[in-house]
Amino acid sequence: MERTLVIIKPDALSKKIVGKVITTFEEEGFKIVAFKMVLLSREKAEEFYAEHKGKEFYEPLVNFMSSNPCVVMVLEGENIAQKVRDIAGNTDPQKAGEGTLRKLYAQDNRHNIVHAADSLESAEREVKFFFSENEIHHWEERIYKK
Ligand code: AMP
């Protein structure tokens, strides 16, 4: 089963919309299989964004991502990486589609509420970056009365 990493970024914590972001994913029917809060060290943030090293936005991005805690989670489902990207919207909130998380809540292309892995390959790498296999839960969905 496909899985992907989502980071709810420090701006979402400050804006107190972590719950809204999670609700959005749950209302889409996405399955949360791992979840925690982390404060990235500078070194860890640098490592996570190593592919952007040298770009003009790299330093401020690393500063921002290590400035306050994030919530990280793993979602599982068919085509989940693409589905999460669709719900996140364009990196730049000005270009994000109506109803996307970034259109609704992001300030700019750095303070943009969520990180969503950009391919299946990066999703797998990013899941491993934050979670060990024993922190990822293989739970069964059941139907309960409302
Ligand atoms: P990505 O690896 O494509 O998800 O990019 C990582 C993060 O870098 C994005 O979520 C943005 O926060 C930031 N970023 C990407 N492009 C820009 C940009 N042109 N200016 C500022 N920040 C950016």
Side-chain angles (χ1 to χ4, degrees), residues 9 49 51-52 56-57 61 91 102 109-110 112 115:
K9 296 187 179 186
Y49 286 114
E51 65 178 297
H52 297 300
E56 95 311 316
F57 63 82
L61 173 63
T91 305
R102 287 167 173 158
N109 57 9
R110 175 153 53 253
N112 64 356
H115 165 88

Side-chain angles (χ1 to χ4, degrees), residues 19 22 42 52 57 61 77 94 97 108 118 121 123 125 131 133:
I22 296 166
R42 219 196 135 67
H52 297 300
F57 63 82
L61 173 63
Q94 307 259 27
D108 52 49
D118 67 3
E121 296 70 42
R125 180 176 49 80
F131 294 95
E133 278 304 320

